[in-house]
Amino acid sequence: MEIKKLTKEEIAEGLTLNFVNKVNLKKKCSPVMFKAGDEPVGIMECSTGYWVHTSEGYLRDEKGRLIVFDIRACQIARARYLMNHGEEEKRKEAERVLEQRKKKILEKLNIFKNNIEDIRQYTIEGSAMNELMKVFESEDPRVKAKFNRKIANLPKMEAQYEWLVSEFEKGNYNLLLDIMRIEKIPNPITFRLDNEDDMRMLKNAFGKQAIDEAQGDVNKLYARLKVEQMYNM
């Protein structure tokens, strides 16, 4: 929803039209603060607006019916929360992004490792894979050439796997995300110097505060950059 005008009270809080109109309730709607200083609460979309839920349950009227809050009120409430607690939320989200990236790399490495082990089994006389290979070869001679190519490529695969693992242990996650085709990491130099949003994202992700908090871990900086992009969409 595009909000056209803010109240005097909302402006006095520090809210701006540009800021509140960047809030996308469809993407992430909770937590929110309906008044400055209030405890954050959650909201859930319904057919006519949003229901509000606290630690004690959903808010209801005197007849026990769920109270519906309109979209504008919830968008302002979400903006108010981000103005007061956005930095903390982004920090936690960046931690989640980094853990997800590490998990995806490990999953790919595990698949690679299993592929290597499967091929290695072909070379072990008497193993189930070795016996299966012999059956396939007897039925189709062309299969032997296929298996031989895989076996011949085994040392190269093992060396590649060891290199990938060493890069992971060094913390070179961005490199692995790219070469293992998991995720394309954005290059900060492609951001536009004359674009206010781009510069704000770079400042938040690579500014002094972010660098100090990362304690030299570049992966945390790039995770924060992804979060900044998510919040700017």
Side-chain angles (χ1 to χ4, degrees):
M1 173 184 181
E2 183 180 3
I3 295 174
K4 301 290 187 182
K5 187 177 180 181
L6 298 176
T7 66
K8 291 181 180 179
E9 292 79 9
E10 290 163 351
I11 294 173
E13 288 183 60
L15 293 170
T16 66
L17 280 175
N18 183 56
F19 185 69
V20 299
N21 282 319
K22 285 186 178 297
V23 171
N24 185 348
L25 296 179
K26 296 290 184 182
K27 182 172 62 177
K28 184 172 174 59
C29 64
S30 292
V32 301
M33 292 170 61
F34 286 100
K35 290 182 182 179
D38 278 0
E39 283 294 317
V41 296
I43 59 176
M44 178 179 288
E45 187 176 11
C46 63
S47 58
T48 55
Y50 289 84
W51 296 320
V52 174
H53 55 89
T54 69
S55 58
E56 298 178 354
Y58 284 89
L59 297 185
R60 298 176 182 270
D61 61 21
E62 63 279 1
K63 294 183 178 180
R65 295 172 300 196
L66 290 167
I67 300 173
V68 177
F69 288 71
D70 64 48
I71 297 175
R72 185 192 186 281
C74 291
Q75 188 166 328
I76 292 291
R78 175 66 178 155
R80 183 179 291 112
Y81 175 85
L82 289 174
M83 184 174 68
N84 288 279
H85 302 286
E87 184 63 25
E88 179 185 356
E89 181 174 290
K90 288 179 180 179
R91 190 180 301 114
K92 290 180 179 178
E93 186 67 21
E95 291 173 0
R96 187 192 67 80
V97 166
L98 181 54
E99 287 306 310
Q100 286 266 343
R101 285 174 168 174
K102 289 162 65 175
K103 182 180 178 181
K104 289 177 181 177
I105 293 171
L106 287 173
E107 286 173 350
K108 281 261 189 173
L109 285 174
N110 194 48
I111 292 172
F112 195 5
K113 180 181 179 181
N114 288 338
N115 287 340
I116 290 173
E117 186 57 35
D118 286 344
I119 297 172
R120 189 179 289 137
Q121 288 296 313
Y122 294 145
T123 68
I124 301 174
E125 191 67 33
S127 71
M129 296 296 285
N130 183 266
E131 294 300 316
L132 186 62
M133 179 179 69
K134 291 178 181 178
V135 172
F136 285 145
E137 287 177 1
S138 65
E139 293 180 353
D140 186 350
R142 292 173 300 178
V143 172
K144 184 175 182 178
K146 179 180 178 181
F147 281 118
N148 285 341
R149 282 196 299 271
K150 287 186 176 183
I151 293 170
N153 198 41
L154 186 57
K156 181 179 178 181
M157 291 178 67
E158 290 172 330
Q160 188 177 22
Y161 173 75
E162 289 176 4
W163 179 80
L164 291 170
V165 170
S166 71
E167 290 303 309
F168 181 82
E169 291 173 346
K170 292 174 187 175
N172 292 332
Y173 306 144
N174 289 345
L175 170 66
L176 296 176
L177 289 165
D178 189 13
I179 65 175
M180 297 176 81
R181 298 183 179 179
I182 298 171
E183 181 182 347
K184 189 69 176 177
I185 302 299
N187 189 335
I189 66 173
T190 64
F191 283 60
R192 296 164 293 178
L193 296 176
D194 59 347
N195 183 277
E196 182 180 339
D197 288 336
D198 279 9
M199 290 301 98
R200 182 174 59 253
M201 285 189 288
L202 286 177
K203 180 181 178 181
N204 290 342
F206 292 95
K208 184 180 184 305
Q209 181 179 344
I211 291 174
D212 289 344
E213 290 176 354
Q215 298 180 328
D217 189 345
V218 69
N219 298 296
K220 292 181 179 179
L221 300 178
Y222 277 90
R224 178 57 185 264
L225 180 58
K226 179 170 183 175
V227 171
E228 291 295 333
Q229 289 177 304
M230 289 163 52
Y231 278 73
N232 195 58
M233 290 170 61

